[in-house]
């Protein structure tokens, strides 16, 4: 069975959001992509308190200046498409008021006919937490727990009742409800985060940082699920951040997913062998405009399917 393929929507500053998001979403659905995805970067600190991913000295890429709001982007795509799943990889959950995030996701799911996948994470940027988080950075795990609990409560039957550290719902009718239970997927890397995933979520959002590493993490997650008595299958969506170029990358130190269509598909093949459900291909960082993004997406999709991916 072929791996499901998804495409990252254009959120970066080189794109005209009102025009390009619906255009790329429609084109992706026509090409055959089964899902459309967004990510979240709330701001671009200048100067940054910390490096990218919290790694000292690693600069933030210039393309992160002006990343569009993920939920608004998904709403634009939802209105322009009919079938594609609409997912986040990831929403930084602690940057959102839990109740409002739950209601927004439910509304988007109801409006799109049950197509939303809520991919959540804790994030890593101290600057984003200082600007937007409702809880301190040191409480990011507990903040994510509350977001998950509030979402489950708000999406469930009325009356909704919840009493947490941030959210207090005495008893209320909350609508609209999602068209179906919205899957919650988590970007979990630590042992504690993987336990949260196995016990409270529907799936996993790994990042393509090395096929062997992802395969090992997937085995560990499956072993943990068996250890904790989970019987429901875990849905898996791999995020691949590609640097597309029209010509082959000939440098001696080519990074994975850096190069032309053939090189990107060759790298994809190693991940497809792991047996994950879906691969999200984000090409937007390396393309100049929506036309190049659509052309690259079509070429990679066609080559991947021809290669049996």
């Amino acid at each position: 069975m072929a791996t499901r393929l998804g495409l990252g929507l254009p959120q970066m500053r080189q794109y005209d959001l009102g025009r390009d998001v619906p255009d790329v979403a429609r084109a992706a659905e026509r090409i055959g992509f089964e899902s459309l995805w967004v990510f979240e970067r709330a701001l671009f600190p200048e100067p940054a308190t910390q490096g990218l991913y919290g790694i000292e000295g690693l600069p933030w890429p210039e393309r992160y200046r002006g990343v569009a709001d993920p939920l608004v982007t998904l709403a634009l795509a939802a209105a322009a498409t009919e079938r594609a799943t609409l997912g986040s990889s990831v929403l930084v959950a602690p940057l959102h008021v839990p109740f409002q995030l739950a209601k927004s996701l439910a509304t988007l799911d109801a409006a799109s006919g049950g197509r939303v996948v809520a991919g959540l994470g804790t994030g890593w940027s101290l600057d984003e937490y200082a600007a937007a988080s409702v809880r301190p950075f040191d409480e990011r795990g507990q903040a994510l727990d509350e977001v998950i609990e509030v979402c489950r409560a708000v999406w469930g039957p009325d009356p909704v009742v919840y009493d947490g550290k941030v959210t207090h719902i005495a008893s209320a009718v909350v609508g609209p409800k999602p068209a179906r239970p919205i899957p919650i997927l988590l970007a979990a890397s630590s042992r504690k985060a993987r336990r949260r995933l196995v016990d409270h979520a529907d799936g996993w959002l790994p990042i393509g940082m090395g096929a062997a590493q992802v395969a090992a993490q997937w085995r560990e997650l499956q072993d943990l699920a068996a250890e904790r008595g989970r019987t429901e299958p875990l849905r898996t969506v791999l995020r691949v951040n590609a640097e597309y170029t029209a010509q082959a990358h000939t440098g001696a130190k080519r990074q994975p997913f850096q190069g032309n269509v053939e090189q990107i598909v060759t790298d994809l093949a190693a991940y497809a062998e792991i047996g994950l459900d879906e691969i999200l291909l984000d090409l937007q960082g390396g393309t100049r405009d929506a036309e190049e993004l659509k052309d690259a997406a079509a070429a990679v999709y066609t080559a991947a399917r021809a290669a049996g991916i």
Side-chain angles (χ1 to χ4, degrees):
M1 182 178 176
T3 306
R4 285 171 54 91
L5 293 177
L7 183 69
L9 290 166
Q11 294 175 260
M12 297 178 185
R13 63 176 180 165
Q14 70 265 41
Y15 301 103
D16 181 318
L17 298 170
R19 179 190 67 206
D20 292 345
V21 171
D23 183 34
V24 170
R26 282 189 293 264
E29 199 170 65
R30 287 196 303 270
I31 290 165
F33 284 97
E34 293 160 289
S35 55
L36 302 166
W37 295 83
V38 292
F39 74 105
E40 184 161 33
R41 282 274 66 83
L43 47 72
F44 187 96
E46 207 169 40
T49 302
Q50 62 189 151
L52 186 69
Y53 309 130
I55 300 172
E56 185 176 355
L58 186 63
W60 289 49
E62 286 295 305
R63 61 179 176 266
Y64 281 178
R65 291 180 181 270
V67 175
D69 179 87
L71 293 178
V72 173
T73 304
L74 281 183
L76 289 168
T81 56
E82 297 178 354
R83 302 178 304 279
T85 298
L86 306 163
S88 57
S89 178
V90 296
L91 293 177
V92 183
L95 303 186
H96 299 264
V97 175
F99 178 84
Q100 191 57 56
L101 179 60
K103 187 172 175 69
S104 294
L105 289 168
T107 301
L108 183 59
D109 192 73
S112 65
R115 294 192 279 147
V116 171
V117 173
L120 307 177
T122 57
W124 47 266
S125 170
L126 297 175
D127 294 287
E128 290 183 336
Y129 269 76
S133 179
V134 296
R135 293 176 71 169
F137 184 78
D138 290 343
E139 296 180 11
R140 59 194 181 279
Q142 299 98 305
L144 176 56
D145 288 336
E146 183 159 331
V147 167
I148 294 171
E149 292 170 359
V150 171
C151 283
R152 301 289 195 205
V154 167
W155 300 341
D158 293 322
V160 176
V161 177
Y162 182 82
D163 189 27
K165 182 165 184 178
V166 172
T167 309
H168 305 279
I169 310 170
S171 180
V173 174
V174 183
K177 299 296 184 185
R180 90 298 189 221
I182 298 175
I184 294 177
L185 278 59
L186 301 180
S189 55
S190 70
R191 176 80 177 181
K192 185 175 182 180
R194 287 196 289 269
R195 285 199 302 271
R196 176 187 293 114
L197 190 160
V198 166
D199 293 344
H200 302 296
D202 300 293
W204 180 44
L205 294 168
I207 299 177
M209 302 293 283
Q213 181 181 0
V214 171
Q217 290 176 341
W218 178 222
R219 288 192 297 270
E220 291 172 6
L221 192 57
Q222 290 174 302
D223 290 343
L224 180 62
E227 175 187 316
R228 298 183 72 81
R230 180 180 176 121
T231 57
E232 291 295 314
L234 289 166
R235 182 172 177 174
T236 51
V237 182
L238 173 78
R239 166 175 274 278
V240 168
N241 297 317
E243 291 287 342
Y244 166 78
T245 58
Q247 303 299 319
H249 193 285
T250 56
K253 295 184 178 180
R254 184 181 78 88
Q255 298 298 311
F257 304 110
Q258 180 184 51
N260 65 3
V261 169
E262 182 179 355
Q263 290 172 325
I264 290 172
V265 171
T266 297
D267 293 336
L268 282 175
Y271 289 88
E273 293 176 359
I274 299 172
L276 304 177
D277 298 320
E278 188 166 353
I279 296 175
L280 147 63
L281 185 65
D282 198 328
L283 294 160
Q284 65 175 308
T287 51
R288 293 166 296 184
D289 53 32
E291 291 305 312
E292 186 176 28
L293 175 55
K294 290 187 294 183
D295 290 344
V300 172
Y301 181 90
T302 301
R305 290 309 191 207
I309 299 172

